[in-house]
Amino acid sequence: IQFHFGEHGNYSLWMENLNFSFNNCSLLTTTDPVNSNIPILVAFFVFVGLALMFAVGSRLLSFLSRTGVVRGLVLRINGSMEAERLINSELGSPRIDALVTDNILPSPASASRRLRSLDTFRGISLVIMVFVNYGGGRYWFFRHSSWNGLTVADLVFPWFVFIMGTSIALSINSMLRGGTSRSSLLRKVLWRSTQLFLIGVFIINPNYCLGPLSLDSLRIPGVLQRLAWSYLVVAGLDLLVARGHLDILTNDAWWSPALDILLYWPAWLCVLLLEIVWLCLTFLLPVPGCPTGYLGPGGIGDMGLHANCTGGAAAYIDRWLLGEKHIYQTPSSKVIYYTQMPYDPEGVLGSINSVLMAFLGLQAGKILLHYRDVPTNVISRFLIWGLFLGAISAILTECSTDRGFIPVNKNLWSLSYVTTLACFAFVLLVLVYYTIDVKKWWSGAPFYYPGMNSILVYVGHEVFEDYFPFSWRMANTQSHTEHLVQNVVATSLWVFISYILYRKKIFWKI
């Protein structure tokens, strides 16, 4: 019997057997379910309405300012030149001449050379990540996929890694052009990677409300740890091959269409070798008690034949290198597949593919550097990369969730997961780049502000997750409405905090 069950509905299954010859089954709805999508639809229209009001208000204020109405009114009230400065500050576009972004490497580039679309892209990823981590209103599509497949929650972390790679390319190029030595930059890369890793291990992971920090069960992998590793490898590779003076390069040679790849072939070779290592370990490494190349969830998956094989080689390597107590104990596969083995979605083997994701973001940065004067070339190359990576994903997955050579899997950070999310990233970056930096139809607000303070927002939302006003005791824990209100308020507060910090020119960079 196929039947669509709604949330909070009450159902009865009636089975009837007449004279052992006629069987009849029927499902009856005794209490109608609720429409669980209404709260998120209301929230969506509220935010759309606020955005429209802000856009209309900004244009109206700008028009009044040009006609002198607002200027004259405020000057009459305050009677000082300070009022005029405030008006100009509020109506003009945000100035970032003296600011550096949270690109891990600071950039001394002038405002004219900055791309607001990159900070906006980072901010979009971060805001969705914060909302998902706070609970996402308890909607299934804002939860990570149990094993294979994608939800909204599975999109944002790879995008953050991708845009980090893009920022690395721009920052290192800017620093080299400014005369900074490669050895000095390498020391900064090592120090910042160490800081990210330590913050992830000792600040993000522990729950101090449960008591003293226990080193016996401290989780070693994590989000910031993976960012630290990816940043270290990709920035190190770029320092080996990056060129500080791109303006002397020719664009007339036959190989100029592949300029952004051929000039950096040693780095590409290293990344391809890393990917070969991932493929060999994933599909050839013998795992005791498990079939070689197993990519399943274990537990009751695969008819329960491989109950203790969750994650295959990836989990085996984590247990061998880090120890069973130092990896994530409650993976998302536990809910549906009843897995009994710990498994870490930010484990060692998957970190190889996170390097690939960051390197593809680095490639986007190289495109921006080499074709910075011709936006159409930038857009066309982004779209070509998106098409190419999408085709690879289609081949690897056979356009399905569970079939194919390598399914899309966030827990494993499979190769198809990286190519699929990188495809999405290139396309989204095209849209953001075109609307913000080319056409200037959008300033990037409000996502631009958390994008400028990404480390502070991420660490802050993790540390203060269980404290008011980011969380409070709910009257009905089964209600999407109350969860959604709490999660939206908490996320909006961090956007507002990042805006205040932006106005005060306070940025936390490491």
Side-chain angles (χ1 to χ4, degrees):
I1 296 177
Q2 293 185 351
F3 193 86
H4 179 74
F5 293 93
E7 289 194 14
H8 304 293
N10 198 335
Y11 305 91
S12 299
L13 174 64
W14 291 85
M15 295 183 292
E16 191 175 14
N17 190 321
L18 301 176
N19 301 324
F20 302 99
S21 59
F22 175 76
N23 295 312
N24 182 33
C25 296
S26 60
L27 270 168
L28 300 179
T29 303
T30 55
T31 302
D32 290 331
V34 299
N35 189 339
S36 59
N37 294 321
I38 288 179
I40 199 168
L41 289 174
V42 171
F44 172 77
F45 285 116
V46 166
F47 277 103
V48 168
L50 290 174
L52 291 175
M53 289 174 58
F54 178 80
V56 172
S58 298
R59 289 184 177 275
L60 179 61
L61 195 60
S62 178
F63 172 76
L64 293 176
S65 175
R66 288 196 300 269
T67 59
V69 175
V70 176
R71 185 187 304 272
L73 179 62
V74 177
L75 285 177
R76 283 197 298 271
I77 294 175
N78 286 341
S80 68
M81 293 301 295
E82 179 65 11
E84 184 173 6
R85 186 192 67 80
L86 287 173
I87 292 178
N88 292 332
S89 173
E90 288 299 324
L91 293 179
S93 60
R95 294 178 58 83
I96 53 175
D97 302 65
L99 305 183
V100 292
T101 66
D102 205 353
N103 291 343
I104 310 302
L105 276 177
S107 171
S110 64
S112 62
R113 301 180 65 86
R114 286 195 51 82
L115 294 173
R116 290 179 68 92
S117 55
L118 300 186
D119 292 310
T120 303
F121 187 102
R122 185 188 299 108
I124 292 172
S125 304
L126 182 61
V127 168
I128 300 175
M129 191 186 300
V130 170
F131 178 67
V132 165
N133 288 347
Y134 276 144
R138 293 299 188 267
Y139 286 97
W140 67 269
F141 42 83
F142 287 127
R143 294 175 179 266
H144 291 295
S145 178
S146 293
W147 199 249
N148 293 335
L150 285 177
T151 64
V152 175
D154 299 322
L155 305 178
V156 288
F157 183 31
W159 287 350
F160 199 87
V161 175
F162 180 92
I163 207 64
M164 181 183 70
T166 307
S167 300
I168 288 172
L170 303 182
S171 297
I172 288 182
N173 174 262
S174 178
M175 298 292 277
L176 291 176
R177 288 174 66 91
T180 308
S181 66
R182 295 177 190 266
S183 58
S184 174
L185 283 176
L186 183 58
R187 287 193 296 270
K188 291 180 180 180
V189 167
L190 290 171
W191 174 233
R192 288 185 172 96
S193 299
T194 303
Q195 286 181 289
L196 275 175
F197 186 86
L198 293 177
I199 291 173
V201 171
F202 294 106
I203 296 180
I204 299 299
N205 279 334
N207 190 340
Y208 298 105
C209 296
L210 299 179
L213 180 64
S214 175
L215 297 179
D216 294 334
S217 58
L218 183 66
R219 181 191 176 201
I220 296 177
V223 170
L224 289 186
Q225 295 90 309
R226 176 160 285 182
L227 286 174
W229 159 256
S230 304
Y231 167 67
L232 175 64
V233 175
V234 173
L237 287 175
D238 196 39
L239 279 174
L240 294 176
V241 299
R243 297 169 180 255
H245 300 284
L246 301 178
D247 49 351
I248 64 174
L249 300 175
T250 178
N251 289 323
D252 300 328
W254 64 268
W255 48 270
S256 58
L259 190 70
D260 51 310
I261 298 176
L262 295 177
L263 287 175
Y264 311 106
W265 67 266
W268 274 99
L269 181 61
C270 291
V271 171
L272 291 176
L273 289 175
L274 278 175
E275 196 55 40
I276 291 173
V277 169
W278 182 86
L279 291 168
C280 291
L281 290 175
T282 299
F283 293 103
L284 301 179
L285 180 69
V287 179
C290 302
T292 303
Y294 181 70
L295 299 177
I300 63 173
D302 303 300
M303 306 302 293
L305 297 175
H306 314 296
N308 296 324
C309 297
T310 302
Y316 178 68
I317 291 174
D318 287 343
R319 293 195 297 268
W320 176 60
L321 284 177
L322 307 177
E324 190 168 311
K325 291 185 178 180
H326 295 290
I327 60 179
Y328 198 51
Q329 300 297 308
T330 55
S332 57
S333 58
K334 191 178 184 69
V335 177
I336 291 181
Y337 296 100
Y338 292 93
T339 55
Q340 301 301 316
M341 301 294 293
Y343 178 79
D344 207 304
E346 276 79 49
V348 175
L349 194 56
S351 295
I352 294 178
N353 280 341
S354 72
V355 169
L356 175 62
M357 188 73 186
F359 192 78
L360 291 171
L362 185 83
Q363 177 62 27
K366 297 298 185 185
I367 292 172
L368 289 169
L369 287 171
H370 283 280
Y371 305 98
R372 59 187 180 274
D373 297 327
V374 188
T376 54
N377 285 354
V378 172
I379 292 172
S380 63
R381 294 186 72 82
F382 280 176
L383 292 177
I384 290 172
W385 269 103
L387 180 63
F388 173 69
L389 292 168
I392 293 177
S393 298
I395 294 171
L396 292 177
T397 63
E398 296 181 359
C399 299
S400 65
T401 301
D402 295 304
R403 298 189 301 274
F405 305 103
I406 304 177
V408 173
N409 189 296
K410 189 265 180 188
N411 290 278
L412 295 170
W413 268 68
S414 62
L415 177 58
S416 59
Y417 176 70
V418 171
T419 56
T420 301
L421 270 297
C423 167
F424 293 167
F426 272 109
V427 174
L428 181 58
L429 188 56
V430 164
L431 297 175
V432 176
Y433 172 73
Y434 183 75
T435 56
I436 294 176
D437 290 317
V438 178
K439 290 298 185 180
K440 303 187 184 304
W441 291 336
W442 178 33
S443 67
F447 302 106
Y448 176 74
Y449 308 117
M452 291 285 288
N453 239 328
S454 56
I455 297 298
L456 185 147
V457 171
Y458 183 81
V459 173
H461 101 275
E462 288 279 3
V463 172
F464 297 104
E465 177 181 4
D466 297 322
Y467 296 91
F468 184 83
F470 307 103
S471 178
W472 58 80
R473 190 189 301 273
M474 290 183 288
N476 182 6
T477 58
Q478 298 299 314
S479 168
H480 278 298
T481 302
E482 197 162 356
H483 277 290
L484 186 64
V485 169
Q486 185 180 98
N487 302 154
V488 167
V489 167
T491 305
S492 300
L493 281 173
W494 283 112
V495 174
F496 180 71
I497 290 170
S498 64
Y499 171 74
I500 297 298
L501 295 175
Y502 174 83
R503 299 298 296 176
K504 298 293 184 181
K505 297 188 178 181
I506 299 174
F507 300 94
W508 182 27
K509 53 181 173 50
I510 60 175

